[in-house]
Amino acid sequence: MASDFNPTVSLIIPLFNEEEMIPLLISSIEAFRSERKENIEVIFVDDGSSDKTFDLVRAQTQGLAGYQLIQFSRNFGHQMAISAGVQSCKSDAAIVMDADLQDPLDVAGRMIETWKQGYDVVYGVRNSRAKVPASQRLTAHWYYRLFTRLSDVDAPLDAGDFRLISRNVIEAFNQFTEQQPYVRGLISWLGFKQIGIEYDRPGRVLGKTKYPFAKRFQFAMAGLTSFSSRPLKLAVNLGLLIAFGSLAGLIWVLVTKYLLGTAITGWASLIFAAFFFGGIQLLFLGIVGTYVARVYDEVKGRPRFVIREMWNSSGKPAVLGSNHGNRVFEQAKPTSE
Ligand code: UDP
Ligand code: MG
């Protein structure tokens, strides 16, 4: 990279009911910006917060340069908020990070340095000193390993969405139109020159997690189903195994009855065998159904998110999207509030 070129880097930060975090977050970003020589801009995506997040961001960044705020019409989810932020990013690189400062700004600085050495994706790898609740850490640990075994992409272990992506990757990423984007998997899938940097992940600074168990589980399922069809193949293999097994069982029954002449007892075991196979059938019907539901979601082709309002701290006219979803930012037309 030429030394006289001063790049612009956007921080993309999804916000969902983060009112406690806003003052500290903005002051930390301001401190970070004053330390960096690059132009640092910020894209906040308010993912349908029901608290004062939107108003607070506006009040606290008014008059400061380089803050953009996109407000969703309702909660569309963290992954969609990231996608919207990336779509609106015009900078040379973007860094996706959480609002709760669990993705430290000094690590973002290291990511920028690594990017300048010629990498397209610099992702944060959480090392073992991470200060996250033990239960969450364990499930995440095993989930990442299960994902790697099942999926067809080489997603790095112990890496969340905290990462820097170059302009090339931003452009490529914006071509995805998935209804349930699994951002970290999609970015791995894209290829380019990727590298991980290790960091200690601190605990959430203020407020509570916005990822309760049900949401976390749904997210994990979305990740697996979008990157692996192996659960379906498992159904085929298990089905074959059981079919051959029962054929062998049948032969054994005939042999004991006609050749050995021993009576067959125990219909109780029969009924449990029936339940067992009923259960297996339901399980795989469910797995097939999960994939069918995803296909149905894609086929409907609904807008992926809907924007209620867009706001800019430097007082530029607000922009309202006319056609929301995939290509909203190209089609947005300016209005004068
Ligand atoms: N978030 C979001 N939409 C949601 C849930 C979370 O935009 O539906 C944001 C949240 O504001 C934060 C980031 O996603 O910036 C990560 O959430 P959180 O820190 O609560 O997750 P955890 O670190 O506990 O996994
Ligand atoms: Mg967090």
Side-chain angles (χ1 to χ4, degrees), residues 37-90:
K37 49 188 186 309
E38 301 83 14
N39 303 312
I40 306 287
E41 295 190 345
V42 183
I43 302 174
F44 284 123
V45 184
D46 175 13
D47 185 13
S49 299
S50 53
D51 66 359
K52 299 198 194 69
T53 297
F54 186 74
D55 295 334
L56 263 179
V57 171
R58 285 209 299 194
Q60 304 228 343
T61 59
Q62 182 81 51
L64 298 174
Y67 282 87
Q68 194 187 333
L69 175 56
I70 300 168
Q71 188 188 34
F72 280 177
S73 62
R74 63 168 171 84
N75 180 247
F76 281 89
H78 177 213
Q79 301 289 295
M80 214 48 104
I82 295 175
S83 304
V86 174
Q87 271 188 35
S88 79
C89 174
K90 304 271 182 278

Side-chain angles (χ1 to χ4, degrees), residues 145-159:
R145 276 143 191 90
L146 179 74
F147 183 88
T148 312
R149 279 208 68 147
L150 289 181
S151 75
D152 314 314
V153 290
D154 273 334
L157 292 171
D158 304 317

Side-chain angles (χ1 to χ4, degrees), residues 245-265:
S246 46
L247 197 68
L250 181 70
I251 294 170
W252 177 73
V253 166
L254 292 175
V255 167
T256 48
K257 184 157 170 69
Y258 294 108
L259 296 185
L260 306 177
T262 46
I264 295 166
T265 55

Side-chain angles (χ1 to χ4, degrees), residues 14 16 18 47 75 78 99-100 102 204 209-210 215-216:
F16 179 55
E18 296 285 6
D47 185 13
N75 180 247
H78 177 213
D100 56 5
Q102 279 194 287
R204 178 179 258 278
T209 177
K210 307 300 179 293
K215 241 183 194 172
R216 223 174 264 282

Side-chain angles (χ1 to χ4, degrees), residues 100-267:
D100 56 5
L101 297 174
Q102 279 194 287
D103 301 332
L105 282 158
D106 57 301
V107 182
R110 278 166 57 203
M111 288 179 172
I112 296 176
E113 298 307 328
T114 313
W115 165 61
K116 286 180 168 171
Q117 291 163 16
Y119 290 95
D120 286 292
V121 177
V122 187
Y123 52 84
V125 179
R126 305 164 183 183
N127 66 21
S128 52
R129 288 182 294 278
K131 287 189 188 58
V132 182
S135 61
Q136 229 180 69
R137 225 167 74 196
L138 263 176
T139 43
H141 177 92
W142 288 110
Y143 174 72
Y144 288 136
R145 276 143 191 90
L146 179 74
F147 183 88
T148 312
R149 279 208 68 147
L150 289 181
S151 75
D152 314 314
V153 290
D154 273 334
L157 292 171
D158 304 317
D161 288 317
F162 181 31
R163 60 192 63 207
L164 177 147
I165 54 180
S166 69
R167 188 72 231 164
N168 275 341
V169 176
I170 294 172
E171 298 290 337
F173 182 83
N174 286 341
Q175 295 180 23
F176 289 120
T177 57
E178 305 200 4
Q179 293 290 334
Q180 281 187 61
Y182 183 66
V183 174
R184 58 195 76 168
L186 293 173
I187 293 178
S188 297
W189 183 92
L190 284 173
F192 292 99
K193 233 178 133 185
Q194 310 213 1
I195 190 169
I197 57 173
E198 264 201 27
Y199 73 107
D200 295 348
R201 186 167 164 88
R204 178 179 258 278
V205 176
L206 289 165
K208 286 202 294 272
T209 177
K210 307 300 179 293
Y211 259 108
F213 178 76
K215 241 183 194 172
R216 223 174 264 282
F217 184 75
Q218 202 187 5
F219 174 59
M221 289 305 286
L224 281 180
T225 49
S226 62
F227 281 98
S228 173
S229 50
R230 255 172 236 171
L232 289 171
K233 290 175 193 145
L234 188 68
V236 175
N237 294 343
L238 198 68
L240 279 176
L241 194 77
I242 290 172
F244 281 115
S246 46
L247 197 68
L250 181 70
I251 294 170
W252 177 73
V253 166
L254 292 175
V255 167
T256 48
K257 184 157 170 69
Y258 294 108
L259 296 185
L260 306 177
T262 46
I264 295 166
T265 55
W267 65 270

